[in-house]
Amino acid sequence: EVGGFLEFYPVPFVRTRAELLQGVTGAEGFTANVMADFIYRPDPQWLLTVGPRLKFVDDQYNAAFFSISPLDSFRSSFSGLPFLRPFTAAGGLYSAGVDATVRYNLTERVSLRAFAEWNRLQGDAADNPLVQLRGTEDQWQVGVGAAYKFNFAF
């Protein structure tokens, strides 16, 4: 995906962000992510954030992941799964959720991070027959990571 973002702090403890992304390989659709975070810094080493997330997608993106063609529908009758009816997924609101992140700065340049995010599929993503049959509208992510901050002086 290629794209860009705009970030704005209406007050020092609230961050808002909008990302616009265009897929260039695989699913080549368009996505827009809208986020806001409440920021809490109990001391210089710790950063805690929590806030809502919205994701919007176009028809091409949603169709790549959630449409069921008539051929796929026919094949489903031989797959051991119950019959999946043809389904054309349109774009729109894809998911709504919340993210919580904790970051600890080990040094000025090295930090550790952990996050948990929950999103609930919306619209045609949630209405997809396979999601209704075998999946769930609730999508969870958790992760940990480390980062190194480079400092280039010009």
Side-chain angles (χ1 to χ4, degrees), residues 25-127:
T25 62
E28 296 179 359
F30 176 80
T31 64
N33 299 304
V34 180
M35 301 161 253
D37 287 309
F38 172 76
I39 300 168
Y40 177 62
R41 293 181 189 266
D43 65 48
Q45 274 78 33
W46 289 96
L47 174 75
L48 295 91
T49 64
V50 63
R53 303 287 186 260
L54 293 174
K55 182 174 188 170
F56 299 89
V57 301
D58 68 1
D59 292 350
Q60 187 178 11
Y61 181 94
N62 236 12
F65 293 101
F66 295 101
S67 286
I68 300 171
S69 71
L71 180 58
D72 291 335
S73 174
F74 175 74
R75 288 178 180 163
S76 75
S77 60
F78 301 104
S79 69
L81 292 172
F83 176 74
L84 298 173
R85 64 181 166 79
F87 183 78
T88 302
L93 179 60
Y94 174 85
S95 65
V98 65
D99 175 273
T101 299
V102 175
R103 186 178 77 199
Y104 180 75
N105 296 320
L106 292 170
T107 68
E108 188 176 301
R109 293 190 179 184
V110 178
S111 63
L112 302 175
R113 172 181 173 242
F115 76 93
E117 185 172 327
W118 166 77
N119 287 291
R120 182 143 178 106
L121 296 176
Q122 305 291 316
D124 282 357
D127 296 338

Side-chain angles (χ1 to χ4, degrees), residues 1-42:
E1 293 176 320
V2 296
F5 70 92
L6 179 63
E7 196 168 81
F8 176 67
Y9 289 76
V11 293
F13 56 89
V14 174
R15 173 181 57 214
T16 60
R17 182 180 175 108
E19 300 173 337
L20 303 176
L21 303 166
Q22 176 65 48
V24 292
T25 62
E28 296 179 359
F30 176 80
T31 64
N33 299 304
V34 180
M35 301 161 253
D37 287 309
F38 172 76
I39 300 168
Y40 177 62
R41 293 181 189 266

